[in-house]
Amino acid sequence: MSATVAAPSPARLSTLDKYLAVWIGLAMLAGLLLGRWVPAVADALNAVTIGSVSLPIAVGLLVMMYPVLAKVRYDEIGDVARDRRTMVLSLVLNWVVGPAMMFALAWIFLADLPEYRTGLIIVGLARCIAMVIIWNDLACGDREAAAVLVALNSVFQVVAFALLGWLYLDLLPGWLGLSSTGLDVSPLEIAGSVLIFLGIPLAAGFATRRIGEARIGRERYESDFLPRIGPWALYGLLFTIVVLFALQGEAITDQPLDVARIAVPLVIYFALMWGGSMLIAHRVGLSYPRATSVAFTAAGNNFELAIAVAIAVFGATSGQALAGVVGPLIEVPILVGLVYVSLWSRRFFAESPAAQGEQ
């Protein structure tokens, strides 16, 4: 039996999904204008925080992730976990290729801007745990595979983030004769972020699925209940984008050339990580849904963790924090575009014997 859940074809997408790029563009513009025209809004949004993250952002992220995690068929996750090709490929792409690529791009394009360079490297170290679930779902990826890979990345994040920060910001630059930057962040801080932004919606989604199926059965749960809560994932996404860009709207509009310089390596990074991951997944015989999950988890980044770390270590007005905020400014429209590229690429994924092994 397939571990994937049938997803709607592009022709059946709702109006909200079909014009997602438009809504996201409007949300980004609204946030930028709000931050620019109402400077006091940043203080209001930052008045209450969870760790170093604004409470409104935290709420938006939780609302965004809950509906998708409530869709996961948790009883089929074991099939994904036993797929060694998917698991190993995802780990290598996320924890070897991704950080190394961002390190190289940051030094190539921002060698003369150490604050932005450091911020970009931190973005590369913060692997996906949030929006990637939305992109995967929109691209008709394997929902269970995405849940497993996100959970796996979260565990590695707690263990590896501080170590990789030391490697890429201190040790490796020293070996290469480059300037180094310390990153003083504890595993407990990272674990707290993972617990809040993944643990809470994951527990809520799991509980909803178990209770819902027990009361009304799987068929009614998926045909009646899920369509009602589904749009809230995108409402949460749009709300988060508005708040995020409102917080940094003035900095972004005041420094357009700096934003452009930070954007160039990010565009290259997202394109290479997603395209390379999709190509490798195809070559090793993964099916389209699972290849999509691998590609989006490899290309996506945990911007809330990157921003939280940059603010905690370097300050809210630092160049490192600005680079962290520019991350989703570029990631959101690029990965939305890649959703459409991904749907187009399905024609190249025949069900090979190797892909049949996922079933």
Side-chain angles (χ1 to χ4, degrees):
M1 180 178 180
S2 172
T4 59
V5 181
S9 66
R12 297 180 183 176
L13 289 176
S14 67
T15 300
L16 184 63
D17 290 345
K18 191 179 298 183
Y19 298 104
L20 178 63
V22 176
W23 312 138
I24 286 178
L26 291 174
M28 292 167 63
L29 179 61
L32 288 171
L33 294 177
L34 183 63
R36 181 70 183 184
W37 291 347
V38 189
V41 74
D43 293 333
L45 292 172
N46 275 322
V48 181
T49 62
I50 295 180
S52 299
V53 178
S54 164
L55 178 61
I57 290 180
V59 171
L61 290 168
L62 295 178
V63 171
M64 176 182 72
M65 294 183 67
Y66 162 70
V68 179
L69 290 170
K71 294 178 183 179
V72 173
R73 289 181 174 178
Y74 291 92
D75 57 344
E76 296 181 3
I77 278 180
D79 295 336
V80 180
R82 287 190 290 271
D83 183 353
R84 293 184 179 179
R85 288 172 304 151
T86 298
M87 303 295 278
V88 171
L89 180 58
S90 180
L91 285 175
V92 171
L93 288 170
N94 272 285
W95 297 102
V96 179
V97 178
M101 181 180 295
M102 190 68 90
F103 173 83
L105 290 171
W107 273 100
I108 291 170
F109 289 95
L110 299 170
D112 59 326
L113 297 170
E115 288 191 2
Y116 298 153
R117 184 183 68 234
T118 297
L120 209 61
I121 292 172
I122 292 173
V123 170
L125 300 180
R127 309 312 299 168
C128 67
I129 69 166
M131 285 188 181
V132 65
I133 297 177
I134 300 289
W135 312 138
N136 176 79
D137 217 44
L138 290 171
C140 303
D142 188 322
R143 200 171 279 150
E144 285 65 46
V148 170
L149 296 179
V150 163
L152 185 66
N153 280 321
S154 299
V155 172
F156 267 75
Q157 195 124 254
V158 174
V159 176
F161 187 92
L163 179 61
L164 287 175
W166 170 71
L167 172 64
Y168 283 104
L169 294 173
D170 192 9
L171 187 62
L172 189 56
W175 286 350
L176 298 175
L178 306 171
S179 60
S180 61
T181 305
L183 183 62
D184 183 16
V185 57
S186 74
L188 278 179
E189 291 177 278
I190 300 164
S193 176
V194 171
L195 180 63
I196 293 169
F197 297 117
L198 177 64
I200 292 175
L202 181 61
F206 177 78
T208 302
R209 165 71 73 167
R210 290 292 298 272
I211 295 170
E213 287 191 359
R215 290 187 175 179
I216 62 175
R218 172 167 289 188
E219 183 176 349
R220 283 191 59 198
Y221 177 85
E222 294 187 347
S223 63
D224 296 342
F225 177 71
L226 289 182
R228 295 179 184 177
I229 66 169
W232 282 95
L234 295 182
Y235 298 154
L237 171 64
L238 297 175
F239 173 78
T240 302
I241 290 170
V242 171
V243 174
L244 187 64
F245 288 98
L247 286 171
Q248 289 283 347
E250 186 172 358
I252 291 172
T253 54
D254 280 347
Q255 304 172 64
L257 293 179
D258 288 350
V259 170
R261 287 200 58 182
I262 297 169
V264 171
L266 282 168
V267 170
I268 296 172
Y269 171 83
F270 292 129
L272 289 179
M273 282 300 296
W274 186 88
S277 299
M278 203 71 166
L279 181 60
I280 294 170
H282 180 270
R283 292 295 296 272
V284 302
L286 295 186
S287 65
Y288 169 79
R290 204 153 288 180
T292 299
S293 299
V294 168
F296 278 103
T297 52
N301 291 88
N302 182 359
F303 71 81
E304 63 273 17
L305 176 60
I307 293 171
V309 169
I311 291 174
V313 177
F314 302 103
T317 60
S318 65
Q320 291 87 344
L322 177 60
V325 171
V326 174
L329 171 68
I330 304 304
E331 177 176 349
V332 169
I334 292 294
L335 292 191
V336 168
L338 290 174
V339 166
Y340 294 99
V341 176
S342 183
L343 292 169
W344 170 81
S345 74
R346 285 189 296 185
R347 67 193 70 189
F348 301 109
F349 282 83
E351 285 299 319
S352 65
Q356 292 292 340
E358 299 169 11
Q359 312 299 319

